[in-house]
Amino acid sequence: MQNRLLKISTCLAMFFAAHFFSSSNLSADLFTIVEKSGQTVTIEAALYGSGKSRGEMLHALLKPDGSIQLVPQGKIKKRELKAAPKPLTVKQMSEGLIKKFGKEKFRFHLQSPYLVGVVLAAPLDGTDRTELRVKTFLQKAGRFMKNVEVIFETYSKKMGIELTEYEFPMAMLIFESDDDFEAYAKETTSLGAGVKNILAYYSGVSNNLILRMSECSSFETPLHEAIHLQTSNRGVVKRFAPIPTWFMEGIATGFEGKGDRINVSPDRINSHYALLSGIAKLLNWGEVVALNGVFRGSILSGDAYVHAWGLHWMLVTKYPNRYVEYVKKLSSKEPFEESSPKQQYEEFVEIMKVSPESLQLKFKLELIKAISKQKVKLPGLDDKTVHLEKHKQEMAIVKMTATSYSRGAPPRIEGWLQNISPFRPMTFHVTVQTDAGTYAEWYLPKVAIRKKIKLKGKNADQLMRGGRGGKWQSYHVEVKSVYPDSEAAREWATGKLPVPALTRQVQVAPSN
């Protein structure tokens, strides 16, 4: 997340003549800077690195909590040399987070070097039983982080990849409310409205792992992001260094499995990605290696992750020694160092002694041989027809079935919802919305913790705002949740339920 930068001023350029540093050799200084608000503040930080963005100079200041503040050259007014401070402890980090989120809405668990915190949607009910549930949930999340560490260290030792010790405490922040998660993501990333599509992320700026609580029922998505945290904090790569995206995503997908039950690593076949490799759209592996953009903003970006897994698996299993040399080269790259797509491609070929295109030609045959030899059982493809949708949203798992009894008639909808909150009952409003602008809705005033509720059959015949009715071709499910004693829940109880508006959505497509 790079900011627009101001041009270099001659007097300050002397301070930053050496652009790249190893964080272990940094000394912390006092920087007087002008923040975006216009306020002048003095912070204690180390110069982590400097480099140009869009022709302007950016300085990265590394703080004692491990976060990085990106400051345009012209916004640094003064620098005073000072002895390096010790990084914060997890206890000190927790004190800062309590101040940030408030004592009533923040709970945490310390398991050095990890801090696992939950940002509550609302204060708890004050009972010991609820506090115990929160504590148990946080302890489970702490065990997940430790499991990720163990499996990452086991893989690295097996491959011969040298790891360093943690320099800073590692924080995982879990947001109970999707609205709070999205607000925080907008504040701390450059994703804007795109945060609605993000389930979890690792921030190289804050050095924190940020999750929606709905993703903590299985930890499937957080596992991928937790590998990014490990990779960026154990000496494998440096933050803001020009690391190829295919490598970062390839190693992370290699660990994906059954969430907190981590039973796979990049040197083994990941049955999920092995299956997807047979149906993913074809991408040239040379472009996957050279162009980071294939992983961003494209309809093929999801397929790029599948190809990154395949490429990474080929290197780990067929060229392990060269792979380790390649990782060493990536480890040596410094923050803000420049690397063009051409350099990225040539560096790969120079070290691996093989082109990515030739690896792609061999991949399918090697994968089939490995599946047969290891007797790997691939999962079946989900039967994803128009008449079925299952997903997680707003602290719920929902499964819906739609049936049309006559062509063009409103579909008959039924299914079930489960409250996946680990420590409080929730109020839910569920809508199934068609592209014809009609919908069906269910209001569930109080669903107990982990409780599964059957949603009785209804016709999707209510009109949405902007809807006209008529023939439908697709539909999607929306879930809104609030806690039972909230103002919104009281309003819903009077019959004032939200009426959805017709918008363009990626929906479940109909089948013939």
Side-chain angles (χ1 to χ4, degrees):
M1 277 52 98
Q2 296 183 341
N3 300 340
R4 283 194 178 276
L5 312 175
L6 299 178
K7 292 184 178 180
I8 303 174
S9 62
T10 305
C11 60
L12 281 175
M14 296 175 62
F15 280 119
F16 307 110
H19 291 335
F20 309 119
F21 301 88
S22 166
S23 60
S24 61
N25 296 324
L26 296 177
S27 62
D29 303 324
L30 292 178
F31 290 88
T32 301
I33 64 174
V34 179
E35 295 188 322
K36 289 182 179 179
S37 63
Q39 182 179 1
T40 299
V41 298
T42 299
I43 63 172
E44 185 176 52
L47 180 61
Y48 180 71
S50 305
K52 287 186 177 180
S53 174
R54 300 174 184 175
E56 298 173 320
M57 184 61 69
L58 168 74
H59 299 299
L61 306 184
L62 181 64
K63 298 180 179 180
D65 64 354
S67 66
I68 290 174
Q69 185 164 347
L70 304 174
V71 184
Q73 170 74 40
K75 295 296 184 180
I76 299 180
K77 298 303 180 184
K78 187 178 180 182
R79 179 185 181 187
E80 300 176 58
L81 301 181
K82 189 178 181 295
K86 291 182 179 179
L88 294 187
T89 64
V90 288
K91 180 76 165 55
Q92 290 169 325
M93 179 176 275
S94 70
E95 292 167 355
L97 291 170
I98 289 171
K99 287 182 180 179
K100 180 177 180 65
F101 296 111
K103 190 173 182 180
E104 285 192 339
K105 292 186 64 176
F106 187 70
R107 299 291 186 276
F108 63 92
H109 168 69
L110 304 182
Q111 189 172 335
S112 188
Y114 305 109
L115 180 153
V116 180
V118 59
V119 181
L120 301 168
L124 298 175
D125 60 16
T127 65
D128 291 342
R129 187 175 183 181
T130 301
E131 291 287 356
L132 180 59
R133 286 181 180 138
V134 176
K135 181 179 179 180
T136 301
F137 166 73
L138 290 173
Q139 288 173 338
K140 177 185 177 183
R143 288 194 299 272
F144 161 74
M145 292 296 284
K146 194 64 181 177
N147 288 343
V148 174
E149 175 188 290
V150 170
I151 200 72
F152 188 77
E153 289 180 347
T154 301
Y155 165 75
S156 299
K157 183 177 181 180
K158 180 178 180 180
M159 294 302 301
I161 299 172
E162 294 185 10
L163 301 180
T164 60
E165 292 300 319
Y166 301 99
E167 187 173 0
F168 301 100
M170 305 287 103
M172 177 165 73
L173 301 180
I174 303 166
F175 286 81
E176 183 182 16
S177 161
D178 281 0
D179 288 343
D180 289 346
F181 170 90
E182 290 168 14
Y184 186 80
K186 284 181 180 179
E187 177 188 328
T188 58
T189 73
S190 59
L191 294 172
V195 299
K196 288 188 175 295
N197 302 317
I198 302 299
L199 302 177
Y201 65 95
Y202 163 69
S203 169
V205 175
S206 69
N207 203 33
N208 295 335
L209 186 60
I210 314 296
L211 320 177
R212 297 178 192 259
M213 186 181 284
S214 57
E215 294 305 307
C216 296
S217 60
S218 67
F219 286 101
E220 289 182 21
T221 301
L223 171 57
H224 181 104
E225 302 303 325
I227 294 299
H228 287 327
L229 183 144
Q230 286 286 326
T231 308
S232 302
N233 284 274
R234 304 302 302 278
V236 179
V237 301
K238 297 182 182 74
R239 287 182 279 167
F240 294 95
I243 308 301
T245 303
W246 76 263
F247 174 80
M248 294 297 288
E249 303 306 339
I251 192 171
T253 53
F255 286 95
E256 288 184 26
K258 296 183 178 180
D260 55 347
R261 292 178 292 166
I262 308 168
N263 60 353
V264 70
S265 61
D267 59 326
R268 295 169 57 191
I269 293 175
N270 185 308
S271 58
H272 172 70
Y273 284 99
L275 178 67
L276 291 180
S277 67
I279 60 174
K281 290 182 174 64
L282 184 64
L283 290 176
N284 183 294
W285 280 15
E287 294 182 354
V288 172
V289 166
L291 304 175
N292 296 334
V294 298
F295 293 87
R296 297 192 300 266
S298 166
I299 59 173
L300 298 178
S301 61
D303 297 298
Y305 286 79
V306 179
H307 289 287
W309 171 81
L311 173 58
H312 193 269
W313 177 80
M314 280 290 285
L315 298 182
V316 170
T317 56
K318 302 303 172 186
Y319 305 91
N321 293 333
R322 297 178 199 171
Y323 168 78
V324 173
E325 288 303 311
Y326 183 76
V327 173
K328 288 180 180 178
K329 179 63 177 180
L330 296 183
S331 301
S332 70
K333 292 182 180 294
E334 298 292 346
F336 303 104
E337 188 176 314
E338 294 184 3
S339 180
S340 68
K342 183 173 184 290
Q343 290 172 320
Q344 204 158 282
Y345 180 91
E346 291 177 346
E347 185 175 77
F348 179 98
V349 175
E350 180 183 354
I351 297 174
M352 296 307 306
K353 313 295 185 197
V354 64
S355 71
E357 292 88 347
S358 63
L359 289 173
Q360 188 170 16
L361 291 175
K362 300 175 185 177
F363 169 66
K364 289 290 176 67
L365 179 59
E366 293 295 339
L367 181 61
I368 291 170
K369 284 164 57 178
I371 289 172
S372 177
K373 183 178 180 180
Q374 299 175 32
K375 298 180 180 179
V376 175
K377 186 177 180 180
L378 298 183
L381 286 170
D382 292 335
D383 180 20
K384 292 184 177 177
T385 69
V386 64
H387 305 306
L388 175 65
E389 183 176 350
K390 180 179 179 180
H391 68 182
K392 285 184 292 188
Q393 186 182 358
E394 289 277 355
M395 297 312 302
I397 294 177
V398 184
K399 184 174 182 179
M400 309 298 288
T401 302
T403 306
S404 250
Y405 292 101
S406 63
R407 189 173 183 81
R412 182 74 172 173
I413 313 289
E414 60 183 348
W416 54 259
L417 172 146
Q418 182 180 18
N419 175 14
I420 56 176
S421 172
F423 48 77
R424 70 164 110 219
M426 299 294 293
T427 299
F428 294 101
H429 179 235
V430 183
T431 57
V432 173
Q433 305 170 20
T434 75
D435 62 337
T438 61
Y439 73 102
E441 69 178 343
W442 293 260
Y443 163 58
L444 306 172
K446 192 171 185 178
V447 182
I449 299 167
R450 306 294 187 189
K451 180 76 172 178
K452 183 184 286 188
I453 299 291
K454 183 177 180 180
L455 303 177
K456 295 180 179 180
K458 291 186 177 183
N459 292 333
D461 53 10
Q462 295 177 250
L463 277 181
M464 300 164 59
R465 284 186 286 118
R468 296 182 178 180
K471 294 182 179 180
W472 69 283
Q473 292 186 323
S474 59
Y475 76 90
H476 71 282
V477 180
E478 289 287 338
V479 181
K480 294 185 180 298
S481 66
V482 295
Y483 54 96
D485 296 326
S486 66
E487 182 178 341
R490 289 192 290 271
E491 185 172 303
W492 290 2
T494 66
K496 296 179 181 178
L497 297 171
V499 178
L502 182 62
T503 57
R504 292 182 179 274
Q505 299 252 0
V506 177
Q507 300 177 319
V508 180
S511 62
N512 296 324

